[in-house]
Amino acid sequence: MDFLPFALPEIGDDEIAEVVDTLRSGWVTTGPKAKRFEAAFGAFLGEFLGAFPGDSSLHCIAVNSATAGLHLALEALGIGPGDEVVTTTHTFTATAEVVRYLGADVKLVDIDPVTLNIDPAAIAAAITPRTKAIMPVHYAGLAADMPAILAIARQHGLKVVEDAAHALPTTSAGRLVGTLDSDATVFSFYANKTITTGEGGMLVTRDGALAERARVMRLHGMNRDAFDRFTAKVPSWHYEVVAPGFKYNLTDIAAALGIHQLKRLRGFQQQREALAALYDEGLAGLPLITAPRAPAGQTHAWHLYVVRLADDAGITRDRFIERLYEAGIGCSVHYIPLHLHPYWRDRYGLSAAQFPHSQRAYERMVSLPLYTRMTDGDVERVVAAVRSALQ
Ligand SMILES: *Cc1c(COP(=O)(O)O)cnc(C)c1O
């Protein structure tokens, strides 16, 4: 039987035609399609729940990765040496590394053992006079406890930057992630995310000053981008460099993919939701904890379907993954917590005992394949392999 990969992007004819159109157009870097993608993204967020039709206060800034977007957001908020930013240990290193780019320090905290999201009580306990910001991650596509996190931030005068790399589309207490009361939200369009541009990201904010700074810093700290200069009706070669910026702009080739991926996002989410429900059903009664679910009525983006082996599973996590590979099924682990990686462990003198919930989850967790190109039969095949591995 064919190998069932852990993740696959779903790229259709519309995406391909739009990329070809871009290639033939003569404008391949950041230009009209990146602008169209930004506008369409803002419209999507504004209209998803019908709550903010065409919400014009949302600024969407396309970048070449979520990592870039997180960096730009923290830079625009003035995070720097001497500052501390609190985030979860149970994330990808990108969330934390951007804090170090700016010379600030990372305060890693533990997760809630049920949702696997950052624990608000642990955030509150980690706050010091140096704390400037909180970076929640909506793990697997399930919203972190944003009402509690935003309340802590208000109480202590902290900024909030959401790492929403998994959370498109996700709702939190009836509102869409990207439209909440945080300072900025960053989405990822990496190859295995819920929509993809190959590489890419979107920084979303209601803060006009943050948006302006991020737009300038995304392209070398120049106050006018190349498309504006080269397409102006009057000679306009002039620009000024106002800061030592970065090279974080999204190309039109990538944006061409994003424009059409976005149109399919609602359908993608429904497919992922249905596949997750099939997993829940098929895995019921086995010695494992199925993926945490969103509260009733809330949208889960279902970027990942993460199970945890129960104490009586009778097999180690590593052996379990080997058994699935032997059955031709790819899987992964999200994540090796940051406190176990040499850089983070050594810089902050961390040990597993400081993060009991993340550590325990890590030792038992496996991410099963979950993507829109999977059929119901594929899920059944994974379920059968899981059953057999647990026998
Ligand atoms: C994928 C991911 C990122 C980084 O996204 P890029 O677009 O690859 O930079 C950041 N945080 C989390 C939690 C992710 O899963």
Side-chain angles (χ1 to χ4, degrees):
M1 216 187 279
D2 286 347
F3 187 76
L4 183 75
F6 171 67
L8 276 180
E10 178 161 343
I11 309 282
D13 291 340
D14 288 347
E15 284 90 329
I16 291 167
E18 195 74 48
V19 168
V20 171
D21 178 72
T22 308
L23 296 176
R24 293 192 197 288
S25 75
W27 196 273
V28 292
T29 184
T30 307
K33 294 206 175 161
K35 280 199 164 63
R36 246 172 81 194
F37 184 37
E38 289 175 340
F41 200 86
F44 176 87
L45 293 181
E47 286 157 22
F48 185 80
L49 299 171
F52 312 100
D55 186 346
S56 58
S57 67
L58 287 176
H59 304 273
C60 297
I61 298 149
V63 286
N64 59 11
S65 72
T67 308
L70 293 167
H71 184 197
L72 289 175
L74 294 182
E75 196 276 341
L77 290 170
I79 304 299
D83 296 339
E84 284 174 356
V85 176
V86 181
T87 192
T88 167
T89 189
H90 213 94
T91 187
F92 185 55
T93 193
T95 317
E97 76 192 23
V98 295
V99 174
R100 296 293 302 130
Y101 291 179
L102 294 162
D105 279 303
V106 179
K107 255 309 206 359
L108 295 175
V109 302
D110 206 1
I111 53 173
D112 177 289
V114 174
T115 65
L116 309 179
N117 269 316
I118 191 167
D119 176 5
I123 296 174
I127 292 171
T128 74
R130 290 171 60 197
T131 309
K132 289 286 157 34
I134 306 170
M135 291 174 85
V137 177
H138 305 294
Y139 179 80
L142 174 64
D145 186 351
M146 290 307 293
I149 291 166
L150 290 165
I152 292 167
R154 266 193 296 272
Q155 190 190 338
H156 296 271
L158 307 177
K159 303 294 186 186
V160 177
V161 174
E162 293 168 75
D163 179 340
H166 300 182
L168 184 65
T170 290
T171 63
S172 163
R175 290 174 65 186
L176 189 67
V177 168
T179 69
L180 310 182
D181 298 325
S182 57
D183 294 276
T185 305
V186 180
F187 298 93
S188 173
F189 313 128
Y190 181 67
N192 69 358
K193 298 289 162 60
T194 57
I195 66 171
T196 186
T197 61
E199 300 279 0
M202 192 72 75
L203 165 53
V204 179
T205 181
R206 293 182 190 281
D207 178 339
L210 192 160
E212 198 181 316
R213 175 73 179 181
R215 280 208 180 88
V216 167
M217 295 306 281
R218 137 180 99 169
L219 196 69
H220 302 298
M222 287 159 43
N223 61 3
R224 292 179 71 199
D225 69 30
F227 185 70
D228 285 346
R229 283 183 287 118
F230 289 111
T231 59
K233 296 285 182 288
V234 292
S236 64
W237 49 269
H238 192 260
Y239 63 85
E240 287 176 313
V241 172
V242 296
F246 310 105
K247 187 68 200 291
Y248 283 166
N249 54 306
L250 186 75
T251 68
D252 268 23
I253 300 171
L257 291 169
I259 288 165
H260 293 280
Q261 289 274 289
L262 196 56
K263 291 181 184 167
R264 304 169 73 188
L265 178 53
R266 278 174 189 264
F268 283 170
Q269 192 278 335
Q270 284 160 6
Q271 279 177 273
R272 286 175 175 275
E273 176 106 49
L275 293 168
L278 271 186
Y279 269 134
D280 282 353
E281 207 179 290
L283 300 173
L286 294 174
L288 45 77
I289 304 170
T290 54
R293 302 199 64 87
Q298 300 304 308
T299 303
H300 187 318
W302 288 112
H303 166 54
L304 299 173
Y305 191 90
V306 177
V307 300
R308 281 166 285 165
L309 298 174
D311 289 337
D312 59 351
I315 186 170
T316 65
R317 187 270 313 278
D318 294 2
R319 183 67 194 126
F320 179 81
I321 290 178
E322 279 167 19
R323 292 291 305 273
L324 288 185
Y325 268 84
E326 285 159 18
I329 290 159
C331 34
S332 192
V333 173
H334 295 90
Y335 291 92
I336 303 168
L338 297 185
H339 65 258
L340 295 181
H341 289 287
Y343 173 75
W344 299 110
R345 183 193 61 210
D346 296 347
R347 176 164 179 92
Y348 296 114
L350 305 175
S351 70
Q354 295 169 263
F355 309 93
H357 298 310
S358 167
Q359 185 66 30
R360 183 178 162 82
Y362 161 67
E363 287 168 5
R364 286 142 209 273
M365 68 175 18
V366 181
S367 303
L368 301 178
L370 178 67
Y371 46 97
T372 56
R373 281 169 67 182
M374 284 177 76
T375 62
D376 292 4
D378 290 331
V379 173
E380 283 159 23
R381 187 179 151 198
V382 179
V383 167
V386 169
R387 279 186 184 281
S388 139
L390 291 174
Q391 239 150 44

